[in-house]
Amino acid sequence: MSVKTKTWLKAAGVRAIKTVAQTAVATIGTAAIISDVSWVQVVSAALLAGVLSMLTSVAGLPEVSEE
């Protein structure tokens, strides 16, 4: 695996993890009380956001130079 590929995977992975965390927090925040949280929905939305983040990263990441 090339250095450029490793750099891209690391940058895209970090971005996806941040997106997953932000989506989980936002989804949990929509419940009035913690017992009303649908954990299946939280996990589902967060994982989908992570997949979409990785797919969006294919278009390019500013963290990875285009040299």
Side-chain angles (χ1 to χ4, degrees):
M1 190 178 311
S2 72
V3 173
K4 186 173 181 178
T5 302
K6 287 181 185 179
T7 303
W8 183 88
L9 283 171
K10 183 177 178 182
V14 167
R15 185 175 281 216
I17 289 168
K18 288 179 181 180
T19 301
V20 167
Q22 290 168 346
T23 302
V25 169
T27 307
I28 292 167
T30 62
I33 55 175
I34 197 73
S35 63
D36 289 340
V37 174
S38 170
W39 294 104
V40 172
Q41 184 179 3
V42 170
V43 171
S44 176
L47 289 178
L48 178 60
V51 169
L52 292 175
S53 175
M54 290 297 287
L55 292 173
T56 302
S57 294
V58 171
L61 292 170
E63 301 90 343
V64 180
S65 64
E66 296 289 329
E67 295 176 5

